[in-house]
Amino acid sequence: MTNSETKATLSFSDGSASLEMPIYKGSVGPDVIDIRKLYGATGMFTYDPGFMSTAACNSSITYIDGDKGELLYRGYPIEQLAVNGGDFLETCYLLLNGELPNATQKTEFVDTVTKHTMVHEQMQFFFRGFRRDAHPMSVLVGTVGALASFYHDSLDINDPHHREVSAIRLIAKMPTLVAMAYKYSIGQPFVYPRNDLSYSANFMHMMFSTPCEPYKVNEVLVRALDRILILHADHEQNASTSTVRLAGSSGANPFACIAAGIACLWGPAHGGANEAALSMLEEIGSVDNIPEFIAQVKDKNSGVKLMGFGHRVYKNYDPRAKLMRETCYEVLNELGLQDDPLFKLAMALEKIALEDEYFVSRKLYPNVDFYSGIVQRALGIPTSLFTGIFALARTVGWIAQWKEMISDPEQKIGRPRQLFVGSPKRDVPPIDQRG
Ligand code: CMC
């Protein structure tokens, strides 16, 4: 971040105050005005619900150009990482360390992650406390938070080695916990990780093996899962990542912070959108019903949204959606499901929406979740676990952002301010005088 020669001046029309504020330049993207002295100088806060114009930190991890539809992890375009960038663990290494690993670094990293895949045997008792029909996201919020009680040896956030060990533990154990949540929900025994398999193949094994029948690894499907993980690995300062940073700003341990991120991701406007998009397609049912559905979406009183469409940052086609659409074709071909009615319906809906003035004028394009649900369903993943897979993928992004925040000398406890519109000070009346 460098200082710009240009300064911003804020002056009030009544001449009561004027303030000159520095402008900082990033490497790419919009500059920022440093408003930190505003309150001290004027006694006023800025008002920005939803952080529409507010950068809460500086970061060198992920860059999005929403107008161009560009997503870069540490400078590398997502298209290159997804197609030529190796597997998900390479992306993890990149996000955590800033550079892609060389062959030796990759082997060491994979080896370290692989050796942490098992969870404490006691963990299964936490699962057994949940109802079998509990939503996997509630199970994950609970069990990921509970990890903190098992790993006291890596909770000193001021120790870089502890931070590193916690990061590895979280990345390694998330697939095990997500698969355990699934197995518990269907009443099957938990399946232990297999360290001879790749990260994604091991996850499929823990999901789909039973003591009676091993899962036969299918490379096309494993690659598809790996791509889902790469595409969801990080997305700069979205709601769940900001939640992780805010939780972490108080000095909370990383397991607690990631549990907070999972809770935020659960919402349908964020990670829950893939589940909601698939349910929406199922509800629409057939191509003939699309016009009626689109009419409902346009009717502001209906409360209906086209799930998997629109994004706070992308005002163009989400680059992840293009890659996910490609993966969708590959997986459905591999499984002989080319005529999958839901996929055909999604294609028709996308085409109609992309030509419709309502969506065009608002720059609403498909986001990654429009297609990821169809891919996951084809992989055999139940709808209720879709957001859990998103959480598994995003764990590396959350932890990379958390680590970056902890080592930032400008880091302070997050404490937004408010415009108070409630009652001014008043006296408590006796109960017989209350209305
Ligand atoms: N369907 C219909 N109308 C929409 C949609 C949609 N999916 N998204 C936005 N709009 C309309 C909105 O009603 C508003 O219209 P108007 O200007 O007439 O009031 C206009 O477009 C601008 O929308 P906004 O609500 O101001 O946009 P936002 O940046 O606050 O919301 C969003 C972004 C993602 C929450 C929203 O687009 C949405 O709810 N989409 C559906 C849910 C979804 O797919 N979420 C996944 C996001 S990608 C995965 C992730 O990163 O978590």
Side-chain angles (χ1 to χ4, degrees), residues 52 232 235 238-240 265 267-274 276-277 297-298 300 304-315 318 320 358-359 362-370 390 394:
M52 301 290 287
H232 287 85
H235 216 222
N238 54 82
S240 58
L265 187 73
H270 192 6
N274 49 20
V297 169
K298 290 186 201 172
K300 291 276 174 215
V304 178
K305 277 198 167 174
L306 179 48
M307 298 313 283
F309 257 68
H311 200 274
R312 169 62 60 79
V313 182
Y314 293 119
K315 301 302 168 198
D318 178 344
R320 303 169 301 169
Y358 175 95
F359 298 94
R362 288 171 178 76
K363 299 191 176 166
L364 298 171
Y365 293 89
N367 60 52
V368 65
D369 290 326
F370 194 68
F390 191 162
R394 186 55 58 84

Side-chain angles (χ1 to χ4, degrees), residues 344-387:
K344 292 209 151 152
L345 181 62
M347 300 277 288
L349 186 58
E350 182 193 43
K351 187 169 182 304
I352 291 168
L354 286 176
E355 286 164 1
D356 191 297
E357 199 277 331
Y358 175 95
F359 298 94
V360 175
S361 63
R362 288 171 178 76
K363 299 191 176 166
L364 298 171
Y365 293 89
N367 60 52
V368 65
D369 290 326
F370 194 68
Y371 285 108
S372 71
I374 300 173
V375 177
Q376 293 191 54
R377 190 180 65 125
L379 297 182
I381 295 167
T383 319
S384 62
L385 206 67
F386 289 0
T387 318

Side-chain angles (χ1 to χ4, degrees), residues 61 73-74 81 85-101 106 109-110 113 164 167-168 170-172 199 226 229-230 233-234 392-397 399-400 403:
I61 302 176
Y73 292 165
R74 301 283 189 184
L81 289 169
D87 57 17
F88 175 63
L89 284 183
E90 268 190 46
T91 293
C92 290
Y93 186 97
L94 173 69
L95 289 169
L96 287 171
N97 300 299
E99 295 299 335
L100 284 163
K106 168 98 189 262
F109 184 70
V110 171
V113 171
E164 197 59 43
I168 297 289
L170 276 155
I171 293 164
Y199 189 86
D226 217 67
L229 301 185
I230 292 171
D234 195 44
L392 150 53
R394 186 55 58 84
T395 294
V396 64
I399 202 81
K403 281 179 76 194

Side-chain angles (χ1 to χ4, degrees), residues 297-348:
V297 169
K298 290 186 201 172
D299 174 4
K300 291 276 174 215
N301 300 320
S302 73
V304 178
K305 277 198 167 174
L306 179 48
M307 298 313 283
F309 257 68
H311 200 274
R312 169 62 60 79
V313 182
Y314 293 119
K315 301 302 168 198
N316 201 328
Y317 210 103
D318 178 344
R320 303 169 301 169
K322 276 189 202 138
L323 293 156
M324 195 45 70
R325 189 156 81 149
E326 207 178 278
T327 300
C328 209
Y329 275 113
E330 272 170 34
V331 167
L332 296 176
N333 277 338
E334 172 68 14
L335 297 173
L337 298 171
Q338 298 89 330
D339 294 326
D340 179 62
L342 233 45
F343 182 55
K344 292 209 151 152
L345 181 62
M347 300 277 288

